[in-house]
Amino acid sequence: MKTVNTKLVGQLMIRPYRATDFKEVKQLVDKWYVSLFQDTHYAKFVAVKQGRIVGVAVMSMTLTTANLDFLFVHEQWRSQGIGTQLVRKVAFWAKSKRAEGLGVNSGIENKKAHAFYKNEGFKQVGKVYNFFSNSNWQLFFWKKV
Ligand SMILES: CC(C)(COP(=O)(O)OP(=O)(O)OC[C@H]1O[C@@H](n2cnc3c(N)ncnc32)[C@H](O)[C@@H]1OP(=O)(O)O)[C@@H](O)C(=O)NCCC(=O)NCCS
C-alpha cells in the first residue's frame, strides 16, 4: 500500500456542501457534473483549504451500496492526501447510512484513479459499458464499509 502524503491534512476541512457553495463549485467542476449539486437526492461534501473549496465528493445510495458518483480534487491540490480524506469521509457517511459497501465507477483509462481506489482498499468487482455519457468502459470498484 502506498503511504499517501497527508501532512497538510491538519488544515483541511471536509464538510457537507451548502447551497451557497454552488458558485465556487461551478468554477471547480466540469459543467457535466454541475447539475449533481442542484439535485437534492445526492449527498455532497466539499474539502476546504485556506478558505477555498479544493475538492468535492457526491454520493447516492442504491439498496445497500453507497455510490461515490463524483470525486474531484483541484489539479493544483492533488497528491496531498485530499482525495484520500474525501474517500474516508464518504466511507464514514456510507456506514452512517448503514450501507454494506461503497462503490465507484471509474473510466477504464483512468489508471491513476484505479491505483488510488485500490490503495484505499477497493477491489475491482465489475466492468460496465457507459452508453450514456462517453461510450466507454467503466471499471466498478467496491469496498466493504
Ligand atoms: C483521483 C483524485 C480524486 C485523487 O485525488 P488526490 O487528492 O490527488 O489524492 P491523494 O493525494 O489522496 O492520493 C493520490 C495519489 O495516490 C496515488 N496512489 C494511490 N495508491 C497508489 C498505488 N497503489 N500505486 C501508485 N499510486 C498510488 C495516486 O496515483 C496519487 O499519486 P501521486 O501522488 O503519485 O500523484 C484526483 O486525481 C482527481 O480529482 N482526478 C480527476 C478526477 C478523477 O479522476 N476522479 C475520479 C474519477 S472515478
Side-chain angles (χ1 to χ4, degrees), residues 75-128:
E75 237 170 295
Q76 285 168 12
W77 291 97
R78 289 183 191 163
S79 304
Q80 296 184 31
I82 296 172
T84 299
Q85 294 303 316
L86 276 165
V87 167
R88 290 179 188 174
K89 176 77 179 186
V90 299
F92 189 76
W93 175 88
K95 211 168 175 164
S96 77
K97 295 286 169 198
R98 300 181 193 279
E100 286 170 15
L102 173 59
V104 59
N105 278 311
S106 179
I108 197 161
E109 75 298 335
N110 198 350
K111 300 271 192 288
K112 176 172 170 160
H114 306 161
F116 168 79
Y117 290 123
K118 284 182 186 159
N119 203 50
E120 275 304 294
F122 287 78
K123 299 256 180 301
Q124 189 201 323
V125 296
K127 188 176 168 186
V128 287

